[in-house]
Amino acid sequence: MLYMSTRGRAEPKDFAGVLLAGLGSDGGLYMPESWPRFSAAELRALRGLPYAELAARVIAPFVGDCIAFADLQAMCRRAYAGFAHPAIVPLVQLDSAIFALELFHGPTLAFKDLALQLAGHLFDHVLAQRDERVCIVGATSGDTGSAAIEAMAGRDRVDITILHPEGRTSEVQRRQMTTVTAPNVLNVAVKGNFDDCQDLVKAMFADAPFRREMNLSAVNSINFARIAAQIPYYVAAALALGAPDREVAVSVPTGNFGNVLAAWAARQMGVPVQKFIVASNRNDILCRFLNANDMSVRGVEPSLSPSMDIQVSSNFERLLFELLDRDAAATEATMADFRATGRMAVPDGKWQEIRREFSGFRLSDEGTLAEIARTWRDAAYLADPHTAVAVAAAREQGPVGLPVIVAATAHPAKFPDAIEQAVGFRPALPPHLSDLYERKEQYERAPNELAAIETLVRNFANRNR
Ligand SMILES: *Cc1c(COP(=O)(O)O)cnc(C)c1O
């Protein structure tokens, strides 16, 4: 299997190349040259398999011959062995039509663990094949750093440095990162804000000698390996609800469009998903696009569902590429125009095509709290704020007569303040995190200066080489 860039000017790569490169050298996103397809009989044969086994079989066609199937199976087993639920991704029925697909039983209580835990093993494997070592650097506002750290902690061939803005993450978020004390993990609290941290990461990548010396890498949500690892849970849930012999719909709380794109990829592979409901908070660029062909950038406003507080959904470029019949030149021109004007021009006919399958939904913070309370009252189910937005979206826009799979992307205990506001009590952390406040923290502090950060990263990485 080869991958090509949505902008058409980066060299095609195989799965291992895409895993290590992330973004194409032309700024585009890698896409498989064609979508693997399972027949109805092949899908039925996946029913009832243990999750890790199903995941290996769904991901295998994307990996191609980069990794032997037995190795991929072993990596899937190891990646999901630490999850706190034996089903890995249990499906919980909330009412006659709505099912919560719980994607938060991994080490950091959010759906990113599903992809990143596997990515950690994939990195080790591919780097061992090449006899290389990489240093991953990233910045976090608090939310996503811990998933990357948990995924890479203890890996043989990866060092990881995550910058966070000192004093600007919640204590739970900071502790989820800083209590991971594996020798290949470096946490740095930067005197500055999240944008400063992101600028420092960009500057490290732009410093070509430093980038080469450290063999810098990243694990962004645009990495196709992460998309591939998010497809199996939609396959598993749809099969449990009667696919391929019955259609389903999905409702996904959406930020960067990676999770909903994986559901769409499952459909390309043969899973009968009839409708994709894109759920957002007040940062509603995708909702405005889907309802009125208005993809125009506005400022980001904070909300109760911070992982959906985005201005531009980077993975949307992949759907755009497909919509434009895989015309890379047209995709590149559309993206360049979008960058220049802040507004994406999608031809009306193409927009109508998207609208047949996708719908947009937006919910305010007040609506989110009301939905958390309602779901608790009616179904005795505690939904985190992200999940609650998607549950409300499913109620409003779920097609009559079809089961709706709601991606439950975070554990309610990750957002205790919002839950308390909605239902009057704070949810307990699950057992594997209950001693988080007693664990020892370890992190460096640094000024907002590139040279100081590079010295820290170099000294840290050289200790492990
Ligand atoms: C990252 C995240 C999302 C958004 O997922 P995308 O793939 O970026 O659309 C939604 N909910 C939670 C809890 C997340 O961590």
Side-chain angles (χ1 to χ4, degrees), residues 65-385:
D65 27 76
C66 279
I67 299 171
F69 183 66
D71 292 334
L72 181 63
Q73 271 178 315
M75 283 187 266
C76 288
R77 269 186 230 122
R78 267 181 273 141
Y80 302 125
F83 278 54
H85 194 292
I88 315 299
V89 288
L91 197 58
V92 179
Q93 184 159 13
L94 302 190
D95 70 13
S96 60
I98 299 178
F99 295 79
L101 174 59
E102 294 189 340
L103 305 174
F104 53 69
H105 294 285
T108 72
L109 310 181
F111 93 97
K112 294 189 177 63
D113 290 330
L114 266 304
L116 282 167
Q117 285 292 315
L118 181 61
H121 292 281
L122 291 169
F123 263 85
D124 255 4
H125 189 86
V126 166
L127 290 167
Q129 283 174 340
R130 300 177 174 211
D131 192 22
E132 277 184 45
R133 189 174 183 90
V134 294
C135 184
I136 290 175
V137 294
T140 186
S141 56
D143 262 6
T144 55
S146 59
I149 288 171
E150 285 283 358
M152 299 302 163
R155 300 273 67 83
D156 291 330
R157 290 178 173 268
V158 182
D159 297 306
I160 181 165
T161 301
I162 296 290
L163 311 182
H164 69 263
E166 182 168 13
R168 294 181 193 227
T169 64
S170 76
E171 186 173 5
V172 176
Q173 287 173 335
R174 187 190 71 237
R175 284 182 165 273
Q176 278 196 298
M177 298 189 283
T178 59
T179 59
V180 180
T181 54
N184 69 328
V185 172
L186 173 66
N187 277 290
V188 183
V190 176
K191 283 201 174 34
N193 59 29
F194 171 58
D195 288 336
D196 297 328
C197 294
Q198 255 188 331
D199 288 345
L200 286 165
V201 170
K202 281 190 197 139
M204 280 189 268
F205 275 99
D207 179 348
F210 181 75
R211 178 180 183 159
R212 260 194 312 278
E213 178 194 347
M214 293 289 111
N215 206 10
L216 290 191
S217 187
V219 276
N220 301 330
S221 75
I222 49 88
N223 196 306
F224 190 82
R226 283 180 64 176
I227 305 286
Q230 290 166 184
I231 301 170
Y233 47 74
Y234 289 110
V235 177
L239 288 174
L241 294 174
D245 308 297
R246 183 192 189 198
E247 292 190 310
V248 299
V250 298
S251 177
V252 184
T254 298
N256 255 327
F257 209 75
N259 204 4
V260 68
L261 189 87
W264 183 84
R267 213 278 309 276
Q268 294 304 98
M269 296 178 78
V271 178
V273 184
Q274 195 220 63
K275 186 170 184 192
F276 305 88
I277 304 169
V278 175
S280 40
N281 59 33
R282 71 165 68 117
N283 298 288
D284 62 348
I285 182 168
L286 288 168
C287 182
R288 282 183 282 120
F289 170 66
L290 291 168
N291 293 339
N293 198 0
D294 170 22
M295 179 90 87
S296 56
V297 174
R298 295 183 187 160
V300 175
E301 293 176 40
S303 78
L304 291 177
S305 41
S307 298
M308 293 147 73
D309 293 348
I310 49 101
Q311 202 167 21
V312 174
S313 300
S314 19
N315 277 298
F316 182 79
E317 183 169 340
R318 292 191 153 109
L319 189 67
L320 178 71
F321 176 69
E322 293 280 358
L323 193 69
L324 299 175
D325 305 311
R326 297 193 151 226
D327 180 339
T331 306
E332 177 161 50
T334 305
M335 292 307 296
D337 189 52
F338 182 44
R339 250 192 328 278
T341 64
R343 190 164 189 291
M344 190 181 294
V346 174
D348 200 61
K350 295 294 180 189
W351 174 71
Q352 297 287 359
E353 262 177 56
I354 290 201
R355 286 251 296 174
R356 266 184 245 131
E357 298 174 344
F358 286 81
S359 68
F361 175 84
R362 168 195 204 272
L363 194 63
S364 65
D365 279 355
E366 301 71 52
T368 304
L369 292 173
E371 183 58 49
I372 294 171
R374 173 178 176 172
T375 306
W376 174 243
R377 188 189 66 222
D378 293 352
Y381 189 82
L382 261 191
D384 99 286

Side-chain angles (χ1 to χ4, degrees), residues 27-64:
L29 278 57
Y30 279 107
M31 286 283 271
E33 58 187 344
S34 65
W35 292 100
R37 215 176 152 80
F38 291 120
S39 68
E42 285 168 329
L43 284 171
R44 281 187 209 105
L46 298 173
R47 240 183 225 154
L49 288 178
Y51 184 72
E53 180 65 30
L54 179 142
R57 295 201 198 179
V58 172
I59 297 166
F62 292 104
V63 169

